[in-house]
Amino acid sequence: MDWNALLAPVVRYTLVAAAATVGVAYVAFSSGLTLLLLAGAGVLLVVLGAGEAGAAPASGVGAAEEADIGGVSEGMELLPGSSADVALRGKLLFYGLGLVGWTLAGLAVLLR
């Protein structure tokens, strides 16, 4: 895995975009409710970004293993989805993680 390729989206979405979103909400509303809503949105984006429903045969995994032992059976892919899907999922995942993290920091400041 190329860790350098992950560095740019982490910085762009987790640090910059999410911090700006939470910062604007914190300054504009100074409300715990707004930050809780942002945390909920962040959790939803993490689920959408990390969740993956790959193609599976209708007869189940056992039949796919019997059909082609040692290789990839027909209709199954090692990495489902196109590279555009992977890029979108990465953005959602990193932005959602940033929303959750920065919201927790904002709530800690509000509750202090």
Side-chain angles (χ1 to χ4, degrees):
M1 180 182 293
D2 185 13
W3 294 103
N4 293 329
L6 288 177
L7 187 60
V10 167
V11 169
R12 185 177 301 127
Y13 296 105
T14 303
L15 299 179
V16 176
T21 302
V22 173
V24 166
Y26 178 79
V27 169
F29 301 105
S30 296
S31 163
L33 178 62
T34 305
L35 293 182
L36 286 176
L37 291 174
L38 277 177
V43 169
L44 179 65
L45 291 176
V46 167
V47 170
L48 290 174
E52 177 180 339
S59 59
V61 176
E65 289 175 355
E66 293 172 6
D68 186 18
I69 298 174
V72 178
S73 64
E74 185 177 337
M76 294 184 67
E77 302 172 1
L78 293 176
L79 295 172
S82 66
S83 61
D85 293 339
V86 173
L88 177 62
R89 285 196 345 251
K91 291 175 186 177
L92 292 175
L93 176 65
F94 292 134
Y95 183 61
L97 288 173
L99 281 182
V100 172
W102 287 108
T103 299
L104 292 177
L107 286 172
V109 169
L110 280 176
L111 296 175
R112 189 169 55 116

